[in-house]
Amino acid sequence: MDPISERIALNEGLFREVNENIRAAATDGRYDDAHFVCECGASNCEERVAMTLDAYCAVRDHKRHFFVKPGHEIPMAETVVERHDRYLVIEKPPEAEAVLEQGSTD
Ligand SMILES: [Zn+2]
């Protein structure tokens, strides 16, 4: 994988960790929805995506699926698999999986 795609995948893996903490907090408080961070590959993105916990968990069911604000997708590094009003679901290529799992150990 090229260095740019690797950097993008690494950022997305980190955002996923942040969102897992948000989900845990929302579940503890029994909220129906929460404001998750956009999981796009831009390390400086601070956009939030309001989603129900069910919608969030549906994305998380797939190891290589992430959600981003519309327009935040990076066509060279991922494929849009679902389009919703407030977010898009993207799928990472299989070769990104190892990088996505690295998380904060980088
Ligand atoms: Zn973003």
Side-chain angles (χ1 to χ4, degrees):
M1 194 161 39
D2 65 273
I4 294 171
S5 293
E6 190 169 324
R7 171 52 53 186
I8 290 167
L10 195 57
N11 283 335
E12 288 165 340
L14 290 172
F15 284 135
R16 180 169 61 185
E17 283 192 6
V18 172
N19 280 335
E20 281 294 282
N21 290 333
I22 294 172
R23 181 188 61 84
T27 304
D28 284 350
R30 296 207 180 89
Y31 302 120
D32 289 333
D33 54 19
H35 289 80
F36 294 99
V37 297
C38 173
E39 295 181 331
C40 74
S43 58
N44 60 346
C45 179
E46 294 180 351
E47 297 278 351
R48 292 277 181 144
V49 181
M51 291 173 79
T52 65
L53 292 178
D54 283 351
Y56 174 79
C57 289
V59 176
R60 208 75 314 146
D61 270 353
H62 301 265
K63 270 174 108 176
R64 288 186 283 111
H65 282 191
F66 293 83
F67 57 85
V68 300
K69 291 280 251 193
H72 288 213
E73 69 274 26
I74 304 169
M76 63 159 275
E78 54 218 16
T79 307
V80 176
V81 291
E82 285 178 39
R83 291 182 183 273
H84 300 271
D85 285 348
R86 289 183 293 193
Y87 63 95
L88 308 176
V89 179
I90 57 164
E91 182 173 289
K92 303 296 295 179
E95 61 264 31
E97 203 164 303
V99 179
L100 293 168
E101 295 301 319
Q102 279 181 30
S104 53
T105 58
D106 181 38

